[in-house]
Amino acid sequence: MNDCPTVAFRPVRTDGEIERLARMAGEIWREYWPALIGRDQTEYMIESFQSPATIRQGIAKDGYEYWFVEDENQPEGRRIVGYTGGYEEPSTERFFISKIYLYDWARGRGYASRTIGFYEELCRNRRLKAMYLTVNKHNELGIRAYRGKGFETVDAVETDIGSGFIMDDYIMEKRIS
């Protein structure tokens, strides 16, 4: 893993940034997910969960927060290496990490580790007890990476997301000390 000392997390706030995030989501999802869940489900999920309208609604109504993952050492045009997002659950004193997605060329370089560190600090600052996420049961790389960062599998869930598609996930949690 390469050292990434200049990773920054820039909040997504404006309509232009939301539009850019949605375009990125489509690009990143098409790089990674068809091999695991198929092209049809990938396209359905991009349209249903990664569109500008859905992102706006999540921010406005559900308390979602999004950040661009940036590396200032990358050449112009490649500084944004991915995006992340989620929301705080005050009732459970946890943060749900809904998204950690990186471009293919940025994977394996430490950005995901830095993102987990970002969330650990966010949880400490907000006095949250844990953070959790869902990971596709067939995403062996993701599962190994999260376990390596101290996440434990606490449950499994199958979620009907419509149009005959199911999300078949593990729920993984990391307690904040």
Side-chain angles (χ1 to χ4, degrees), residues 98-116:
S98 176
K99 297 154 181 63
I100 300 176
Y101 295 115
L102 302 170
Y103 283 110
D104 183 51
W105 56 265
R107 293 184 198 124
R109 298 175 181 239
Y111 299 114
S113 294
R114 298 295 178 148
T115 303
I116 296 298

Side-chain angles (χ1 to χ4, degrees), residues 45-58:
M45 291 180 74
I46 290 168
E47 181 60 34
S48 299
F49 304 114
Q50 305 292 317
S51 70
T54 303
I55 293 168
R56 281 186 195 95
Q57 180 179 5

Side-chain angles (χ1 to χ4, degrees), residues 46-137:
I46 290 168
E47 181 60 34
S48 299
F49 304 114
Q50 305 292 317
S51 70
T54 303
I55 293 168
R56 281 186 195 95
Q57 180 179 5
I59 292 169
K61 294 184 179 173
D62 301 321
Y64 264 86
E65 301 172 74
Y66 289 93
W67 296 269
F68 290 116
V69 181
E70 297 182 334
D71 185 342
E72 293 300 319
N73 285 339
Q74 290 293 327
E76 192 65 39
R78 288 177 70 112
R79 290 192 175 158
I80 296 177
V81 300
Y83 71 101
T84 189
Y87 57 87
E88 187 175 329
E89 290 182 346
S91 64
T92 65
E93 297 182 291
R94 300 187 302 175
F95 194 93
F96 176 59
I97 303 170
S98 176
K99 297 154 181 63
I100 300 176
Y101 295 115
L102 302 170
Y103 283 110
D104 183 51
W105 56 265
R107 293 184 198 124
R109 298 175 181 239
Y111 299 114
S113 294
R114 298 295 178 148
T115 303
I116 296 298
F118 166 78
Y119 282 118
E120 288 172 336
E121 187 67 24
L122 181 142
C123 288
R124 282 188 196 97
N125 290 340
R126 295 181 183 184
R127 302 194 191 303
L128 300 174
K129 294 180 179 176
M131 57 186 174
Y132 76 103
L133 49 81
T134 58
V135 59
N136 183 286
K137 290 178 184 174

Side-chain angles (χ1 to χ4, degrees), residues 10-20 56 59 68:
R10 184 166 51 89
V12 174
R13 293 193 173 118
T14 68
D15 278 340
E17 290 169 339
I18 290 169
E19 295 287 334
R20 183 173 188 181
R56 281 186 195 95
I59 292 169
F68 290 116

